[in-house]
Amino acid sequence: MGRTITAVLTTFCFQMAYLLAGYYYTATGNYDIKWTMPHCVLTLKLIGLAVDYFDGGKDPNSLSSEQQKHAIRGVPSLLEVAGFSYFYGAFLVGPQFSMNHYMKLVQGQLTDIPGKIPNSTIPALKRLSLGLIYLVGYTLLSPHITEDYLLTEDYDSHPFWFRCMYMLVWGKFVLYKYVTCWLVTEGVCILTGLGFNDFENGKAKWDACANMKVWLFETNPRFAGTIASFNTNTNAWVARYFFKRLKFLGNKELSHGLSLLFLALWHGLHSGYLVCFQMEFLIVIVERQATSLIQESPTLSNLASITVLQPFYYLVQQTIHWLFMGYSMTAFCLFTWDKWLKVYKSIYFLGHVFFLSLLFILPYVHKAMVPRKEKLKKME
């Protein structure tokens, strides 16, 4: 098909249909480790490969700097495509990287010592060690904090505040298994040189394959911060090959919603995935509204800037943040509607009620609390 949009669309449809058929015929109501797990990683790689090849046939001046960086000008051989697809440091759980970046590794360009193997052992061991710390934490806590407990009568019998706090703690802890996998595989990529990302202030950077921003993940009190810190390579892939390609729609919110729908289907056919990403979409919109209100309202802006109250604000933000992160992850981890619906009923659909209420209330609060001159300045 050559470097045509037909080739891109055909590749996208075939890869997604093959993956979804695999989910349909193999999925159960539990977390399954089978061929579909590495294949979902491969699906993104092959779609991205087709898009980069398509971009390689365009006038470089018509491409963004990011597209120029990844566009494939030649024709990769079967061996090169196989090496890119099944690179041992990333075929199982990621991270995502472009064919051009992989070919730089093969050609010996990804090194901090030109002409020699990269001096990457220490950076790789640091990520491995950090991953092992999360692994130990997860191993010690996993017998005591489980999603199965959310479905028990004992959980239902506890007070409402306990059910919420358990969901909060579980929501933070359940992510540690993913953090472990990404940190360990990032260490592998760094060790080979694939993680090399040029120099900064004369010092080599090894974050080209980073899937976790650990400090941001642990300290940021906002949902947007967690999203920016978590599974960053997959998020970057979706932004580069899906979200930005929907620019022709002329609506960022619609592009964002479609991107999250794609991510939900990419994870699997369970209803829990759709509910989780629907909650992410809702939460991010409300968080933007709340941030805009605080920044533009003189009263709220002055209140938010009181230094002595900063620790209190941080604690409240983190509590809301991780409570509703756990709420969203409940659907993601319980998969089927009968399971996550049971848990949501037990806490009275708190997440949906809270954020849907704010979605409709905040515009009126904004209208009442933001002076007209501030609104006119924003419009200008």
Side-chain angles (χ1 to χ4, degrees):
M1 296 178 186
R3 300 179 189 270
T4 62
I5 193 66
T6 304
V8 173
L9 293 176
T10 302
T11 299
F12 180 87
C13 293
F14 173 79
Q15 298 299 342
M16 286 301 295
Y18 192 93
L19 178 65
L20 294 177
Y23 285 144
Y24 179 80
Y25 286 108
T26 65
T28 65
N30 300 307
Y31 187 77
D32 304 307
I33 297 179
K34 51 172 67 77
W35 68 267
T36 52
M37 186 173 74
H39 193 76
C40 71
V41 176
L42 179 60
T43 296
L44 296 191
K45 281 189 176 182
L46 295 179
I47 292 172
L49 178 64
V51 175
D52 289 338
Y53 183 69
F54 171 68
D55 285 346
K58 294 182 177 179
D59 179 357
N61 294 325
S62 68
L63 303 175
S64 67
S65 57
E66 182 182 50
Q67 291 170 344
Q68 289 180 28
K69 178 181 176 182
H70 299 293
I72 299 171
R73 296 299 172 186
V75 181
S77 69
L78 178 60
L79 180 60
E80 289 169 344
V81 173
F84 163 72
S85 300
Y86 299 111
F87 175 72
Y88 64 87
F91 85 97
L92 197 60
V93 294
Q96 294 292 329
F97 49 87
S98 68
M99 169 63 88
N100 283 353
H101 190 70
Y102 173 75
M103 289 309 298
K104 287 181 180 179
L105 173 71
V106 173
Q107 294 160 5
Q109 298 178 28
L110 297 183
T111 176
D112 57 333
I113 311 172
K116 297 182 180 180
I117 61 172
N119 186 25
S120 57
T121 303
I122 299 301
L125 288 176
K126 286 181 179 179
R127 300 311 272 180
L128 171 63
S129 301
L130 191 55
L132 293 178
I133 290 172
Y134 275 95
L135 176 61
V136 170
Y138 182 78
T139 303
L140 293 176
L141 291 173
S142 57
H144 310 290
I145 307 175
T146 67
E147 55 261 33
D148 292 336
Y149 182 69
L150 295 168
L151 299 168
T152 63
E153 295 300 324
D154 188 49
Y155 175 77
D156 285 340
S157 67
H158 279 87
F160 178 72
W161 68 265
F162 175 88
R163 281 174 269 162
C164 290
M165 287 302 101
Y166 184 90
M167 184 174 286
L168 182 153
V169 174
W170 169 81
K172 179 67 179 285
F173 154 75
V174 73
L175 296 174
Y176 283 7
K177 59 185 176 184
Y178 303 107
V179 176
T180 296
C181 290
W182 289 327
L183 288 173
V184 172
T185 53
E186 183 190 343
V188 176
C189 293
I190 290 173
L191 191 63
T192 64
L194 194 68
F196 181 68
N197 194 21
D198 214 340
F199 292 89
E200 187 175 56
N201 299 323
K203 189 176 181 180
K205 293 193 299 179
W206 300 98
D207 58 356
C209 293
N211 239 344
M212 277 300 305
K213 297 177 181 178
V214 175
W215 183 253
L216 185 65
F217 172 75
E218 293 291 354
T219 61
N220 194 283
R222 298 177 59 184
F223 292 94
T226 297
I227 293 168
S229 72
F230 189 77
N231 202 6
T232 55
N233 255 284
T234 301
N235 291 337
W237 187 98
V238 173
R240 184 163 67 243
Y241 295 111
F242 201 90
F243 176 79
K244 293 178 182 178
R245 306 280 169 165
L246 295 176
K247 188 176 180 180
F248 66 91
L249 295 175
N251 188 311
K252 281 190 176 182
E253 298 297 345
L254 178 58
S255 298
H256 185 196
L258 290 173
S259 298
L260 290 176
L261 176 61
F262 168 76
L263 268 178
L265 291 173
W266 175 70
H267 277 90
L269 295 174
H270 291 302
S271 60
Y273 294 132
L274 290 171
V275 172
C276 176
F277 286 101
Q278 165 265 313
M279 278 303 302
E280 178 185 325
F281 185 57
L282 175 61
I283 289 171
V284 168
I285 290 176
V286 171
E287 189 174 67
R288 286 175 186 164
Q289 287 183 342
T291 301
S292 175
L293 173 62
I294 293 170
Q295 290 175 345
E296 295 173 19
S297 167
T299 304
L300 294 179
S301 183
N302 291 333
L303 191 63
S305 63
I306 300 175
T307 305
V308 71
L309 292 177
Q310 295 300 317
F312 173 72
Y313 294 150
Y314 182 79
L315 181 62
V316 171
Q317 277 187 288
Q318 283 287 29
T319 301
I320 294 173
H321 170 205
W322 285 111
L323 171 59
F324 293 112
M325 187 63 71
Y327 183 89
S328 303
M329 288 301 297
T330 296
F332 188 91
C333 293
L334 293 180
F335 305 115
T336 57
W337 70 269
D338 55 317
K339 292 180 181 179
W340 57 258
L341 189 61
K342 181 180 186 300
V343 180
Y344 281 179
K345 282 181 178 178
S346 71
I347 58 169
Y348 314 112
F349 291 89
L350 179 62
H352 286 85
V353 171
F354 182 74
F355 284 101
L356 284 172
S357 299
L358 287 177
L359 181 67
F360 291 105
I361 292 171
L362 284 177
Y364 294 101
V365 177
H366 189 278
K367 186 176 181 179
M369 298 193 71
V370 177
R372 182 170 177 78
K373 61 180 181 180
E374 293 292 329
K375 296 174 184 175
L376 292 174
K377 187 187 297 183
K378 185 180 178 182
M379 291 176 66
E380 290 173 1

